[in-house]
Amino acid sequence: MLEGKKIILGVCGSIAAYKSATLVRLLVKAGAQVQVVMTPDATNFITPLTLSTLSKRPVYSDYFKPETGEWNNHVELGLWGDAMIIAPASANTMAKMATGLVDNLLTAVYLSAKCPVYFAPAMDLDMWKHETTQQNITDLQSFGNILMPPGSGELASGLHGEGRMAEPEEIVAFLTDDIKKKLPLFGKQLLVTAGPTYEAIDPVRFIGNHSSGKMGFALADELASLGADVTLIAGPTAQISKYKSIKRINVTSAADMLQECLTYFPAANACVMCAAVADYTPATVSAQKIKKHDDGLNIELKKTTDILKTLGGQKRDGQVLVGFALETQNEEQYAIEKLEKKNLDLIVLNSLNDAGAGFKGDTNKITLIDRQLHKTTFDLKNKAEVAHDICIKLIELLKK
């Protein structure tokens, strides 16, 4: 959820500022870009050099650079972020935020921010319990700011109670969960298949196809980025998912893929069958390597179970099933026949006659056809963009 996100981290004058180093490291590790803005007092607790080294960006604490007179533009900083976290948020800074007092760069950036603002209070027990602090927190939340509640434990004063800043791991988890809850596919279970299947002839040979799995993996990544809980059933491929949250199940044959699909399909809100599953498999598999003969080799093939048709027959009301059709002739006719025969809600058509479409490449050109035979044709795009187009249509279908 944090991959590529731009996070403004505000650090206030508090003993808990030492935790900011770990927080920056965790955010960067999660793939976020982190811009640290410190109050002048915060620099007494942790050095800007430490946070700059960890964030790989300069740290700002003044309106301008004394050595050059260059202005640190608080408006640009406020507009830059996808989210702003103030951690630790001292009682002093929260009071300024609640009343609109701007006497340092951090509060100026806060007032300029257009993104969601999270704050993680850190202070002693009596300061935390004070009526003015609690009123300031209430006011900040009424403005739309999001409280990351403090923990309870031993405080710097020696007292024991509320006021400890949330741990960095808790802050990252809170931010991740909050972002995910706002995404269009949050709470949805999505099943995706990708890649080829290999049908064994003997221990060293197989029947397969040229599918790389790139399109299916791009779809799984896009669905995960939209908040879905994704299960990816992948045939033999070198592709790697971008998101660790994706549950990947590796299979080899069409029979293996069928078994896993039957296991996970019933719980899925939607299934996107992007895999290039073999239509035929050897009737018998030799236990030993078949030796070469001068008179050629005949292999008897039998049909594999049609996974897409099988799932279409089991599909319940409200469940969305998406199939793919890679054709070389009569493309739309064959795609519509497949859509209807296999009880699909959407079919993604691409043609090997279109330059840049098909297996292995990084681009694709698709046409989407739904149950009402509404057709949408897209230009040639990279597969990540194609995945986004498919997912926009999928979101629309899940809302019906």
Side-chain angles (χ1 to χ4, degrees):
M1 291 298 102
L2 300 184
E3 181 74 33
K5 298 292 186 186
K6 297 175 181 177
I7 310 295
I8 304 167
L9 176 61
V11 181
C12 302
S14 165
I15 187 62
Y18 78 90
K19 295 181 180 180
S20 299
T22 301
L23 179 54
V24 170
R25 183 179 63 81
L26 291 175
L27 290 169
V28 171
K29 187 177 180 180
Q33 300 178 54
V34 182
Q35 176 60 66
V36 178
V37 181
M38 305 176 74
T39 65
D41 281 345
T43 62
N44 294 318
F45 292 91
I46 187 170
T47 67
L49 177 60
T50 297
L51 299 179
S52 177
T53 301
L54 292 170
S55 66
K56 301 178 178 61
R57 300 177 68 90
V59 170
Y60 301 119
S61 59
D62 297 304
Y63 282 108
F64 63 95
K65 299 179 178 69
E67 62 277 10
T68 63
E70 184 181 353
W71 179 34
N72 292 323
N73 191 325
H74 61 278
V75 176
E76 288 184 359
L77 285 170
L79 295 176
W80 177 81
D82 295 311
M84 183 175 186
I85 306 172
I86 302 177
S90 66
N92 183 49
T93 293
M94 289 195 302
K96 294 175 183 179
M97 292 165 61
T99 57
L101 180 62
V102 183
D103 66 349
N104 61 44
L105 181 62
L106 176 56
T107 51
V109 172
Y110 161 70
L111 286 183
S112 302
K114 300 297 184 185
C115 59
V117 177
Y118 302 79
F119 64 106
M123 64 200 70
D124 205 63
L125 176 62
D126 294 330
M127 297 174 68
W128 169 253
K129 287 187 172 181
H130 199 280
E131 292 84 352
T132 55
T133 300
Q134 292 302 311
Q135 184 60 53
N136 288 335
I137 290 172
T138 298
D139 290 344
L140 287 173
Q141 290 179 294
S142 74
F143 301 156
N145 300 298
I146 303 162
L147 171 66
M148 294 178 165
S152 182
E154 186 177 353
L155 305 171
S157 66
L159 295 176
H160 193 282
E162 282 187 292
R164 289 170 58 99
M165 186 181 94
E167 295 302 319
E169 293 81 2
E170 295 171 335
I171 291 173
V172 172
F174 187 105
L175 177 64
T176 301
D177 290 345
D178 195 64
I179 290 173
K180 191 171 183 178
K181 288 175 184 175
K182 297 171 182 176
L183 294 173
L185 291 178
F186 173 72
K188 300 295 185 183
Q189 301 286 331
L190 268 293
L191 178 63
V192 179
T193 66
T197 65
Y198 289 173
E199 310 302 318
I201 297 171
D202 63 22
V204 298
R205 301 181 181 91
F206 62 85
I207 296 171
N209 57 60
H210 295 297
S211 174
S212 65
K214 289 181 179 179
M215 190 67 251
F217 274 70
L219 275 162
D221 285 341
E222 181 68 14
L223 289 167
S225 76
L226 293 169
D229 294 320
V230 180
T231 299
L232 173 62
I233 302 173
T237 173
Q239 300 302 310
I240 298 174
S241 299
K242 182 189 298 185
Y243 297 100
K244 293 180 181 178
S245 62
I246 294 173
K247 180 178 181 179
R248 176 172 175 175
I249 299 168
N250 293 317
V251 297
T252 301
S253 68
D256 296 336
M257 187 166 285
L258 171 64
Q259 180 179 345
E260 297 297 341
C261 285
L262 291 175
T263 298
Y264 289 96
F265 181 69
N269 297 102
C271 175
V272 184
M273 292 289 295
C274 190
V277 183
D279 293 322
Y280 296 92
T281 189
T284 59
V285 179
S286 174
Q288 304 296 328
K289 179 182 176 182
I290 299 172
K291 305 304 291 184
K292 181 168 61 176
H293 299 285
D294 293 336
D295 55 353
L297 175 67
N298 291 319
I299 300 174
E300 181 184 356
L301 301 177
K302 63 180 181 180
K303 288 191 71 174
T304 59
T305 301
D306 189 326
I307 301 176
L308 193 56
K309 187 175 181 180
T310 300
L311 298 184
Q314 297 183 1
K315 183 164 67 75
R316 65 179 186 275
D317 290 344
Q319 203 171 22
V320 174
L321 183 58
V322 180
F324 277 68
L326 176 61
E327 304 293 349
T328 59
Q329 59 181 342
N330 300 325
E331 290 95 335
E332 285 191 22
Q333 176 189 336
Y334 289 150
I336 291 172
E337 288 177 1
K338 187 174 184 178
L339 173 78
E340 294 173 342
K341 287 180 180 179
K342 301 188 181 184
N343 192 27
L344 307 183
D345 299 281
L346 181 70
I347 193 156
V348 182
L349 168 64
N350 53 353
S351 171
L352 283 178
N353 294 319
D354 292 324
F359 291 146
K360 290 188 176 180
D362 294 322
T363 58
N364 206 351
K365 185 177 186 299
I366 65 165
T367 297
L368 300 179
I369 305 173
D370 63 21
R371 289 180 74 89
Q372 289 71 43
L373 303 186
H374 296 147
K375 183 177 71 172
T376 308
T377 299
F378 298 88
D379 294 330
L380 183 71
K381 300 182 180 183
N382 67 56
K383 287 184 175 177
E385 293 172 322
V386 173
H388 180 73
D389 292 334
I390 295 170
C391 289
I392 294 300
K393 182 65 176 180
L394 181 58
I395 291 170
E396 176 188 320
L397 294 174
L398 281 168
K399 289 180 179 178
K400 291 183 177 180

